Amino acid sequence: MKFIGFLVAILLAVAGVAAAEEPGAARLSLVKGDVQIYTDDAGEWVPAAVNMPLHEGDRLWSPEGGQAEVQIRGGVYLRLDAATSLDILNLGEDSFHFYQAEGRSYINNRRGGIDHIQIDTPLSSVGCYDNSLIMVDVTEGEVTSVSVLKGYASAETRSGKTRVSAGQSLRIGADQEADLFPLSSPDRWERWNRDRDRRVAAAESLRYIPDELDDYASDLDQNGRWLYAPEYGYVWSPQLSVSVGWAPYQSGRWVWIRGDYVWISYEPWGWAPYHYGRWAYVARFGWCWVPPARGAAWWAPGYVGWVSTPGYVAWVPLAPGEVYYGYGHYGPTSVNITNVTINRTVVREYRNVSVTNAVTVVNRDGFLHGRRERVTVRGNPFTAANVAIGPPRFRPAREALRPVDRKIPPRMAPPEKVQRVRVEDIRRERRLVPEERGSVFRPAVPAQELRVRKREAPTRVIEEKAPPAPREKAVPARRGPQGRSREDRRSVPRQSGAAREQAPRQEQAEKPARQEIRESPPPRERGSEPRGRGRREERE
């Protein structure tokens, strides 16, 4: 009976992670060097770009001199060093699944993050859990090393499964032999990751945005400031890389991704402000991003109003309260126009049309080929006759399937070993198993204990002294796009014992606000609404 109960638990766990991925769940938050991506749309390896959304089935390659960071909603950062590959197999509600054929990765699953992350390598399957820091190295001969800096991890081979605790490093050789070492001193890769962790840990913007967007607060802190506008409440104004005549949705590219045009911003902060909320032109301040209200943070391909003709394509940033017309459901302030006819009077009233440089009009043929060829249109293109409303439906040429238009030297292409990997084959051979006692290699039976030889000396010795680890902060449970915490979706406490703290972030609320241009009411504490937010909710 115990075995039957165990088997039922495994089947229920696998079924629970089979749900479809959430739109906008993952993105490339950092790209250095000639990082490349393979998607089903492009059908080839192409240059990657920061702020590119990632989906199940996408593949990443970071060549020599490259580094990449994948940010996943829920408090997860996964970074790749040079000569590292990563395949995204599953982005479920409570479990993520990746495959790493070679190279070095660093996984930061912050407290209150995701329940389970599985990283498969040619020789092993590694699982890490909430509030953990681990590094996975796949070196020559497919030798796999799992180093745990915080929390714990599990590592399985065809010979069995074992637990790796904080301060330990497990080495799995090509012969399946496993050796357990104490962690050595931090090397360059670990120190760089620790520094990145510190940069994204504390953020003043947490005081101004809904809980659902907490993960993106550090982007806003580093690239702008918060101001108070009586008609909207607290708004965010970009400061860096913004020139005279700048307007939203201009520094970037519309890329055809899974049947729709998605805005990929080349600005480092260009994720949350372009895929959530609205933009307003505020007197004295200029362009400002108005974040969505709590519980109303819905990701969209790009919150703009669209019109197109046989000669041109035009778009304008949507103002607060304006409805997004697109192909799909993106929350209560959007309309799915797949089978709906839109009244033309709707687009004639977009408020930002009257703002200088707000409307972008480009040649239709250039748009199809990924070129920005501006067109001069007499009058307001949104009031012209015979315009199509909504995102363009024509599939672009091959050039517009690339997130950025540049060439990468052939020597930087993924090696043959990486190119031969087939995501569908890995999914079939390595099932996602979130149950800690379950086995990836033998799904029908519990995993047996892996024989491990304990060593006293670390695998590497670095003389440089590492900087102190970042101080642990109490944070609330991560929330999904509709405002539901992961606690709300869970009926039984996790057996790992990782506590999730529910207290509001008082430390952020007590910090002095940045200097405001005009007198303003204090920002809200977590769990209370800011002044001025109620009016925006009524309009939206």
Side-chain angles (χ1 to χ4, degrees), residues 339-355:
N339 299 307
V340 176
T341 301
I342 304 300
N343 190 326
R344 295 182 185 279
T345 59
V346 172
V347 300
R348 298 185 180 189
E349 299 175 359
Y350 288 144
R351 298 200 300 276
N352 285 332
V353 167
S354 60
V355 180

Side-chain angles (χ1 to χ4, degrees), residues 132-150:
S132 60
L133 289 174
I134 74 168
M135 297 188 298
V136 178
D137 296 357
V138 181
T139 57
E140 186 176 353
E142 299 180 340
V143 174
T144 299
S145 296
V146 182
S147 302
V148 180
L149 309 180
K150 184 173 70 171

Side-chain angles (χ1 to χ4, degrees), residues 70-181:
V70 176
Q71 182 183 19
I72 310 173
R73 187 164 50 208
V76 176
Y77 288 88
L78 197 159
R79 304 189 186 104
L80 311 179
D81 200 4
T84 302
S85 69
L86 184 76
D87 299 323
I88 303 175
L89 306 182
N90 186 287
L91 295 174
E93 191 173 38
D94 294 306
S95 291
F96 301 149
H97 191 191
F98 306 97
Y99 181 74
Q100 181 179 330
E102 63 178 70
R104 313 179 73 187
S105 67
Y106 176 99
I107 300 94
N108 181 354
N109 188 11
R110 295 189 291 173
R111 177 178 296 174
I114 198 74
D115 283 352
H116 170 257
I117 300 173
Q118 180 174 316
I119 306 99
D120 281 292
T121 74
L123 294 180
S124 67
S125 182
V126 180
C128 69
Y129 307 90
D130 179 35
N131 194 23
S132 60
L133 289 174
I134 74 168
M135 297 188 298
V136 178
D137 296 357
V138 181
T139 57
E140 186 176 353
E142 299 180 340
V143 174
T144 299
S145 296
V146 182
S147 302
V148 180
L149 309 180
K150 184 173 70 171
Y152 70 96
S154 63
E156 182 185 7
T157 71
R158 298 187 184 280
S159 301
K161 191 172 187 176
T162 190
R163 176 169 174 153
V164 185
S165 301
Q168 296 179 330
S169 179
L170 182 74
R171 181 185 183 276
I172 301 171
D175 55 2
Q176 301 286 312
E177 295 290 333
D179 295 278
L180 190 66
F181 300 87

